[in-house]
Amino acid sequence: MSAAHSSHPKGLYFIFITGMSERFSYYGMRAIFTLYLINALMLDKEFASAIYGNYTGLVYLTPLIGGYVADRYLGMRRSIFWGALLMVMGQFLMFFSALHFENTELAKWLMYGGLGGLIFGNGFFKPNLSSIVGRLYEPGDKRLDSAYTIFYMGVNMGAFMAPLLCGYLGDTGNPADFRWGFLAAAITMVLSLVFYVARNSRYLVGPNGEAIGIVPAQKAGRESAGELGVDLGKKLNVWQLALWVTGGVLLFFLFLKGFDGDIIGAVIYSACIVVPGFVISDPTLTKIERQRILVIYIIAFFVIFFWAAFEQAGISLTYFAEEQTNRHVFGWTMPASWFQSFNAVFVVLLAPLFSALWIKLGQKNREPASPTKQAIGLFLLSLGYLLIAIGVKNVAPDAKVSMLWLTGLYFIHTMGELTLSPIGLSMVNKLSPVRFASLLMGVWYLSMATANKFAGTLSSLYPEVGKTKIFLGFEVATLFDFFMIFVVMSVLASIVLFVLSKTLQKLMHGIR
């Protein structure tokens, strides 16, 4: 490997800083969000879990919109700008909500407005920032998995610092102080936007020095497809369009009935079926392109189980940290929100090792294929929950356990995350046709939307005194019962994905 290709382009580190500061804003707000709901707005855990699930589910649903608009109209760069601006507005509305928390109705409406700004802003920002990483490299560049791992490390540096600062300012035991945590998140988002505007034209350039992310991918795709002889003049049959629209409506009402009128859940779950089907039925796709997209969809299905369990960090694991974890350290009580930094600091420490590992294995042609890496990630997730299930078994409901159990869970989950998440981003980038790059990244995030909504549903099963909770006929009476749900769910998904791995590799047609 030449020296020119042993290091990464400067644009990667520009994206690293931009993503780090935006994720600081997101995770800073998330670290204190459920605590704000139950300690300031005085909501019960079940309702707070539902709000959290709806919010994080929609955060990962709107990348479909942002990816579509970027591919067809705005291009990646402008989409990132408008997304950042919407998130600035959303974070300040969260600050004003906490400022008026004693006026519960006003605080709730300000909060819903803030969540809306964050949801749509993230939709434009997240898929395009992730997609533009791949445009810094030539197709087939073996540094891409390493690049996404470095990008992921930046994301997690922000996620590490955010709960510490926002938790220190907002999670004080005084409900009036939540405002300062939200304000810190808002100011950081402003800094991210200013930095991006000032430097994007200098650093967002491709391998040949050309500007990237300006021309919408559909236009770029038409030009490259012309060279390859692909007919993009084909149009989606009106009957196909009508079929998908009708199917979407029917699924929406079926889910609406099945989930007792949960509109947001019905939208997310129906979209996760209809949108991927609509994309893969595009008549301009070649056979190989369609098979590669199918691989994205299959793996996306399995990672739903990963993120549904992993995202308990912001809900049930935060409840567990606050109520049943001994947080006393040399006479000082650590804020419960600080536990959300543990995963991020482990990512920062371990990401360079994983990045080097993929490069080393790649040089020896021994690097596992993406589906195998995803299966390993799911298995590690299961081990993390098995550890904490052992830690809480036969523990009284009012007893507190050592923080080492929760710390161990986050450490194991981090290894699973590094094996699965940045590799998934890289895989989507490598398997996607150029003209559908941002849209398919949006579809990938749609699986996370489904997972986060599902995470809220699972978190509502968290044991509470005086309430009987049932999951698939299984009574969740203790924390051991609760955590074993995630053990079984993730290990089964891991085994099935391992079995399918060889078949998926064939459908990838040479891409690993």
Side-chain angles (χ1 to χ4, degrees):
M1 184 178 291
S2 67
H5 286 85
S6 60
S7 59
H8 291 280
K10 292 181 180 179
L12 176 64
Y13 301 102
F14 168 76
I15 295 172
F16 178 101
I17 295 172
T18 303
M20 178 181 69
S21 50
E22 182 275 330
R23 288 290 91 181
F24 180 104
S25 173
Y26 174 82
Y27 283 104
M29 174 270 187
R30 195 193 78 162
I32 59 176
F33 181 46
T34 52
L35 297 174
Y36 172 65
L37 294 178
I38 62 177
N39 295 326
L41 299 187
M42 306 306 292
L43 305 179
D44 63 41
K45 289 187 180 70
E46 192 166 342
F47 189 35
S49 295
I51 292 176
Y52 180 91
N54 288 338
Y55 163 60
T56 55
L58 290 173
V59 156
Y60 288 103
L61 176 66
T62 51
L64 278 172
I65 300 172
Y68 179 84
V69 172
D71 279 347
R72 286 186 174 268
Y73 305 110
L74 291 180
M76 295 180 187
R77 287 201 202 187
R78 282 181 290 176
S79 295
I80 292 169
F81 167 78
W82 287 111
L85 186 61
L86 283 169
M87 285 190 283
V88 166
M89 296 168 60
Q91 294 288 18
F92 275 106
L93 284 172
M94 292 300 299
F95 164 70
F96 286 117
S97 172
L99 187 65
H100 299 285
F101 78 95
E102 291 176 314
N103 184 343
T104 306
E105 284 304 309
L106 175 61
K108 284 182 180 178
W109 283 110
L110 288 168
M111 179 190 72
Y112 291 140
L115 296 180
L118 294 171
I119 287 165
F120 283 100
N122 186 83
F124 282 91
F125 189 98
K126 193 173 185 69
N128 292 296
L129 194 71
S130 299
S131 294
I132 212 166
V133 171
R135 299 295 166 259
L136 298 170
Y137 299 84
E138 294 282 3
D141 194 317
K142 291 187 176 181
R143 296 173 296 167
L144 197 57
D145 278 2
S146 172
Y148 272 105
T149 301
I150 291 170
F151 167 67
Y152 207 68
M153 184 171 66
V155 165
N156 281 275
M157 284 184 69
F160 158 62
M161 294 182 289
L164 299 181
L165 179 60
C166 296
Y168 173 77
L169 296 172
D171 182 17
T172 65
N174 180 2
D177 287 338
F178 282 112
R179 72 186 77 173
W180 306 122
F182 291 139
L183 181 61
I187 291 172
T188 307
M189 194 62 234
V190 171
L191 295 176
S192 178
L193 176 59
V194 171
F195 176 73
Y196 176 78
V197 170
R199 289 286 184 263
N200 76 88
S201 60
R202 179 176 178 180
Y203 292 112
L204 294 185
V205 293
N208 298 321
E210 77 282 6
I212 56 174
I214 297 176
V215 179
Q218 288 283 344
K219 182 177 179 181
R222 283 194 293 271
E223 294 171 357
S224 61
E227 297 174 1
L228 296 172
V230 178
D231 181 11
L232 294 184
K234 299 176 184 176
K235 301 294 182 184
L236 186 67
N237 187 291
V238 66
W239 294 110
Q240 287 179 285
L241 179 61
L243 177 65
W244 287 114
V245 172
T246 302
V249 172
L250 289 175
L251 283 171
F252 170 79
F253 283 108
L254 284 173
F255 282 123
L256 190 67
K257 183 177 181 180
F259 291 101
D260 298 323
D262 182 356
I263 295 175
I264 293 176
V267 168
I268 292 173
Y269 293 137
S270 57
C272 80
I273 297 173
V274 171
V275 174
F278 180 77
V279 173
I280 205 169
S281 67
D282 190 295
T284 69
L285 292 170
T286 65
K287 179 181 178 180
I288 291 178
E289 286 176 335
R290 189 168 281 113
Q291 288 180 344
R292 287 173 172 170
I293 291 173
L294 182 61
V295 173
I296 295 174
Y297 290 175
I298 292 171
I299 295 180
F301 170 76
F302 284 98
V303 301
I304 288 174
F305 299 102
F306 180 91
W307 291 114
F310 187 89
E311 286 298 327
Q312 296 301 312
I315 25 180
S316 64
L317 291 178
T318 296
Y319 302 154
F320 180 75
E322 183 175 47
E323 298 174 354
Q324 293 203 252
T325 299
N326 184 352
R327 295 179 281 118
H328 298 294
V329 182
F330 301 115
W332 169 71
T333 302
M334 184 174 71
S337 56
W338 280 27
F339 279 93
Q340 292 186 52
S341 281
F342 284 25
N343 163 247
V345 73
F346 290 144
V347 168
V348 173
L349 294 174
L350 296 176
L353 301 179
F354 275 78
S355 178
L357 175 65
W358 303 140
I359 290 178
K360 190 74 173 177
L361 292 175
Q363 290 171 343
K364 296 180 178 179
N365 292 319
R366 296 177 60 185
E367 182 180 1
S370 293
T372 304
K373 292 176 182 176
Q374 311 285 314
I376 293 170
L378 278 160
F379 181 72
L380 289 168
L381 180 85
S382 179
L383 287 182
Y385 274 108
L386 180 61
L387 175 70
I388 202 166
I390 292 170
V392 299
K393 190 174 184 180
N394 300 322
V395 172
D398 58 346
K400 293 184 183 292
V401 301
S402 169
M403 67 172 65
L404 291 177
W405 294 107
L406 200 51
T407 303
L409 173 142
Y410 280 127
F411 182 79
I412 297 172
H413 282 188
T414 298
M415 292 192 290
E417 181 186 9
L418 285 169
T419 306
L420 180 142
S421 186
I423 304 309
L425 295 174
S426 176
M427 179 201 68
V428 174
N429 192 280
K430 289 185 286 189
L431 293 175
S432 299
V434 172
R435 62 192 184 279
F436 292 114
S438 292
L439 183 58
L440 281 169
M441 191 64 76
V443 171
W444 178 255
Y445 284 123
L446 178 57
S447 70
M448 297 186 193
T450 306
N452 276 271
K453 177 60 181 172
F454 188 33
T457 301
L458 292 174
S459 178
S460 67
L461 299 171
Y462 191 84
E464 294 182 78
V465 177
K467 291 186 178 181
T468 301
K469 301 188 177 183
I470 306 293
F471 180 69
L472 299 178
F474 174 70
E475 182 177 352
V476 184
T478 66
L479 282 171
F480 177 81
D481 299 335
F482 178 72
F483 290 130
M484 284 303 297
I485 291 173
F486 301 103
V487 174
V488 174
M489 179 180 72
S490 49
V491 78
L492 288 177
S494 174
I495 292 170
V496 175
L497 188 52
F498 265 123
V499 172
L500 292 176
S501 181
K502 292 294 184 183
T503 301
L504 294 175
Q505 289 177 48
K506 293 178 182 178
L507 294 176
M508 293 166 74
H509 295 281
I511 292 176
R512 292 183 65 83

